[in-house]
Amino acid sequence: MKNLKIILTMLVLIVIASACKDELIVEDPNNPTTADFGKSESDFREVVIACYNRIRLEGTFARVGYALDAVRGDEVWNSSQQWYLEYDNLNSPGTIDIGDQWPWRDNYHVVNRANFITTYIDEVDMPEDSYNEIAGQARFLRALAYYNLTTYYQDVPLITDYEDYSDLEKLYKANSPQEEVLDQIEEDLSMAMTLLPSKDKGGEWALGRATSGAAAGYMARVLMFRHKFDEAYPILRDIIAGKYGSYRLMSDYGDNFRESTENNDESLFEVQFMNFGTGGTDEEWTPVNISPDATQGHAIESNFASQELGSWGDLAGAPWLYNLFKAESSTDGRLDPRLYWTLVTYEDEYDLYTNQNTAAYPNGDPRTNVAYQQELTETPLSNNAQGGISIAKHTNARTNIYASITNGLQCGVNLRLMRYSDVLLRAAECENEINGPTQIAIDYINEVRRRVALPDLQLADFPTADHLFEQIANVERPKEFGCENGRGRDLIRWGFFYDQGRLQQLIEHGYYVTDGTANTDLLTAATASNSSFNTYTPGNEYFPIFQGTLNANPNLEGNSANKNEDNSTKFFANGYSVHPVVELE
């Protein structure tokens, strides 16, 4: 009887189970699967947002990825003598993750998401304008990521098909030659220039998003990296003429470095960060932090600002840059106002600049010698132990929003990656490369100089293209863009690592002292503690590919930095040349 009951019970259960064929399936709309995601316009718009999110990570522009190119240049040195030291000295062994791995990791996050869009968007019906906006942004952001990757790591794997991620053999790609990567970047930017609306047509939509003007500006950068001046120049002239939207220099140089004047008329593209105090409480140091309370600021301020005033004090402005600012006064005898916004120094002259609501100096605040609401009586130290001159750019040192620095991903100043002043100075450079020194080139430069009340340059003072190039490369650009991301790339494209005269010049620009003071002396080999470029060896103008990445991918090879291989032969074989060092009057 007992066995019979068991058998009957089992039969009942089987009947019940077989009868319940129509099950209620509830899909969580907040957790789409790979099978159902990517079927609608809204899905692709979410992926675009995910791409933008990835350019706000440590390895892209939230800290390390931005700072590495600045410290690679000759305007910034490593005042902590710890973090970034190997990248300042251009001698990383390839085993340090902050520079050898993090930018690689985070930029490929951008690539991967953009690849999803470019691979599948044609399978979804949507209005043409929507398609153009989504596809154009994906193309721009992928180009931006690959531009960062190839100008940091030289020969990198080129992946453009999302399907490749499902095949290990395709996923573990070998290095692509830098020229192939640059070809792909040009292709992406060319499409983005066509697909994206201009800043004017984009309206509110364009604030913070990539536009055709952003794509055109970066196309000019890539072409100039390859010495294609005759191709870059027409694009730059079109930007100036308004083909891609209306751009102009802001009357106040400081408007490029305040939270209150973000996405202004001078900005072609900038990385968006939340204003200080509005970005959450959880530090988003890694790409896996999905907390709804994640901070949404950047940590550039923690690197750039003064340790004496609360930051980590990792990086400092080069004494060479400080003295470059001091060498030339504005037409009314005042200091170049870009010094005020680039470096935090105490200047006696600032006490005289009261109630000067002009392009040159603070907006009528009589307390001009103030940083973080503290009145300065001397230049604050970048690093308490080593010394150095504190960097003001992309910090709130000069805005007085708060009295003390909150280290971490807290600073809300948007990072302006490309400004209209860059367009003007690049146009001058192209004009000089193609036609030699002309009044046209001089006029482009003078437009930038007039914003800060510097006297006009005169064509007669530049007898050769070499002389005008020297003015652009080692006077105009460092004073306009000092301590920003981009100088390291310029040094590579100009070939400064492949000419002994230029390399010696870099050594002299890179002199610093570790005497515990904010030394502003114009240093020499005899008076400097060292130079950031004394340890440079051929090939290390690029950063090495992380050894762990090489170990994980059997098809990947080290680059010139891993192998200490000289890139000068390749540079000159491409038909590129280096302007010799000349003395300016």
Side-chain angles (χ1 to χ4, degrees):
M1 179 62 70
K2 182 177 180 181
N3 290 336
L4 180 60
K5 289 182 178 179
I6 292 174
I7 293 171
L8 289 172
T9 300
M10 292 179 63
L11 287 172
V12 171
L13 291 173
I14 292 171
V15 171
I16 292 173
S18 62
C20 297
K21 291 181 179 179
D22 297 330
E23 297 178 355
L24 177 63
I25 299 175
V26 179
E27 294 183 357
D28 184 352
N30 296 315
N31 285 299
T33 67
T34 55
D36 57 24
F37 186 77
K39 307 297 184 184
S40 68
E41 176 187 331
S42 61
D43 287 348
F44 284 100
R45 290 194 180 278
E46 288 184 24
V47 181
V48 170
I49 293 172
C51 290
Y52 283 110
N53 181 262
R54 298 298 92 177
I55 67 171
R56 298 168 57 258
L57 291 180
E58 267 236 86
T60 43
F61 295 107
R63 182 171 61 144
V64 171
Y66 183 91
L68 278 175
D69 193 70
V71 77
R72 174 168 61 169
D74 50 358
E75 306 161 339
V76 176
W77 64 281
N78 176 254
S79 52
S80 72
Q81 295 292 284
Q82 296 178 39
W83 269 66
Y84 300 101
L85 182 60
E86 293 81 4
Y87 304 102
D88 185 30
N89 292 338
L90 297 171
N91 63 358
S92 171
T95 56
I96 305 172
D97 56 359
I98 66 165
D100 303 335
Q101 181 189 33
W102 292 357
W104 178 287
R105 174 198 69 195
D106 291 346
N107 279 290
Y108 270 114
H109 273 294
V110 181
V111 169
N112 298 346
R113 286 156 176 74
N115 283 344
F116 183 90
I117 297 173
T118 60
T119 300
Y120 299 122
I121 192 171
D122 288 338
E123 300 175 8
V124 177
D125 290 331
M126 65 181 71
E128 183 179 2
D129 287 348
S130 297
Y131 176 93
N132 291 346
E133 289 175 0
I134 295 168
Q137 289 176 94
R139 290 281 185 167
F140 173 83
L141 291 165
R142 183 168 71 182
L144 176 64
Y146 270 129
Y147 179 70
N148 294 336
L149 286 164
T150 197
T151 55
Y152 273 2
Y153 302 110
Q154 194 178 29
D155 300 334
V156 300
L158 186 60
I159 304 173
T160 58
D161 189 341
Y162 196 81
E163 297 285 346
D164 286 352
Y165 301 125
S166 62
D167 186 327
L168 281 181
E169 289 188 9
K170 293 180 180 179
L171 181 61
Y172 287 121
K173 283 200 169 184
N175 315 67
S176 295
Q178 188 180 56
E179 293 301 312
E180 289 186 15
V181 180
L182 292 169
D183 285 343
Q184 181 62 51
I185 295 171
E186 287 187 25
E187 179 184 320
D188 280 346
L189 290 174
S190 179
M191 292 193 67
M193 289 165 64
T194 303
L195 294 170
L196 290 171
S198 71
K199 185 165 84 168
D200 298 346
K201 293 180 180 179
E204 286 295 318
W205 178 91
L207 296 180
R209 294 181 181 270
T211 63
S212 59
Y218 266 89
M219 176 66 95
R221 281 186 174 178
V222 174
L223 292 170
M224 291 178 73
F225 190 85
R226 308 178 83 175
H227 289 223
K228 296 181 180 180
F229 302 106
D230 57 338
E231 295 181 40
Y233 195 20
I235 295 173
L236 293 165
R237 290 201 303 264
D238 282 343
I239 297 173
I240 294 168
K243 179 177 179 179
Y244 302 103
S246 301
Y247 298 99
R248 67 177 179 89
L249 296 179
M250 300 300 292
S251 61
D252 188 337
Y253 180 74
D255 283 349
N256 296 301
F257 309 102
R258 294 186 182 97
E259 286 184 6
S260 59
T261 50
E262 295 169 339
N263 300 305
N264 60 40
D265 288 345
E266 187 168 341
S267 176
L268 274 76
F269 186 70
E270 56 193 75
V271 186
Q272 309 295 305
F273 292 99
M274 293 286 284
N275 289 351
F276 176 77
T278 61
T281 56
D282 297 341
E283 296 281 27
E284 195 175 10
W285 289 116
T286 69
V288 295
N289 186 342
I290 57 174
S291 166
D293 297 317
T295 51
Q296 298 180 52
H298 63 74
I300 305 302
E301 180 169 58
S302 301
N303 288 154
F304 280 11
S306 166
Q307 190 174 52
E308 196 170 48
L309 298 175
S311 87
W312 295 326
D314 289 318
L315 304 176
W320 164 71
L321 180 62
Y322 172 81
N323 284 280
L324 193 63
F325 280 119
K326 295 282 283 189
E328 187 178 22
S329 298
S330 297
T331 52
D332 60 2
R334 293 184 293 170
L335 293 171
D336 186 329
R338 293 173 297 188
L339 171 60
Y340 179 88
W341 287 100
T342 303
L343 301 172
V344 182
T345 61
Y346 173 84
E347 308 294 337
D348 290 334
E349 295 94 323
Y350 287 161
D351 286 334
L352 306 176
Y353 303 157
T354 58
N355 300 316
Q356 298 288 346
N357 189 12
T358 70
Y361 291 96
N363 296 326
D365 187 347
R367 300 172 303 136
T368 51
N369 273 310
V370 172
Y372 297 106
Q373 301 179 6
Q374 300 180 49
E375 187 167 357
L376 302 180
T377 57
E378 59 184 14
T379 297
L381 297 178
S382 172
N383 183 275
N384 292 339
Q386 311 295 338
I389 307 169
S390 174
I391 300 172
K393 274 188 178 173
H394 296 128
T395 76
N396 278 298
R398 296 303 197 183
T399 64
N400 294 317
I401 292 177
Y402 41 78
S404 61
I405 301 166
T406 302
N407 284 316
L409 299 166
Q410 302 289 338
C411 186
V413 179
N414 283 1
L415 301 181
R416 281 73 158 179
L417 296 189
M418 190 168 194
R419 299 190 275 113
Y420 184 60
S421 56
D422 190 35
V423 173
L424 292 170
L425 291 182
R426 284 178 180 274
E429 186 179 340
C430 286
E431 171 71 20
N432 187 52
E433 293 293 335
I434 297 168
N435 301 314
T438 66
Q439 189 60 47
I440 294 173
I442 295 293
D443 289 344
Y444 287 135
I445 298 170
N446 283 341
E447 185 171 349
V448 178
R449 291 171 62 85
R450 287 169 187 161
R451 190 242 298 266
V452 289
L454 290 184
D456 282 356
L457 299 182
Q458 303 300 319
L459 178 59
D461 293 332
F462 302 96
T464 69
D466 293 333
H467 286 81
L468 188 54
F469 173 81
E470 194 75 34
Q471 180 74 25
I472 294 169
N474 283 324
V475 179
E476 304 303 334
R477 290 194 67 85
K479 288 205 290 186
E480 178 68 18
F481 307 112
C483 304
E484 295 181 43
N485 178 281
R487 179 69 174 179
R489 296 180 175 95
D490 282 343
L491 300 183
I492 291 174
R493 72 180 179 89
W494 290 331
F496 280 16
F497 294 97
Y498 314 132
D499 177 88
Q500 286 304 308
R502 287 297 183 186
L503 192 53
Q504 179 59 36
Q505 186 181 63
L506 291 180
I507 291 173
E508 294 170 4
H509 289 177
Y511 286 144
Y512 61 86
V513 290
T514 52
D515 61 357
T517 71
N519 193 299
T520 57
D521 294 341
L522 188 58
L523 301 172
T524 66
T527 58
S529 300
N530 208 336
S531 168
S532 302
F533 296 89
N534 271 334
T535 51
Y536 166 77
T537 54
N540 285 272
E541 64 274 21
Y542 292 98
F543 302 130
I545 298 173
F546 186 55
Q547 188 59 49
T549 304
L550 294 173
N551 295 341
N553 183 351
N555 299 317
L556 199 61
E557 293 185 6
N559 62 13
S560 66
N562 295 100
K563 301 174 182 178
N564 294 317
E565 290 181 349
D566 191 347
N567 287 309
S568 62
T569 301
K570 184 187 300 183
F571 181 87
F572 294 116
N574 284 334
Y576 305 162
S577 60
V578 181
H579 285 277
V581 177
V582 296
E583 293 295 327
L584 296 173
E585 294 182 4

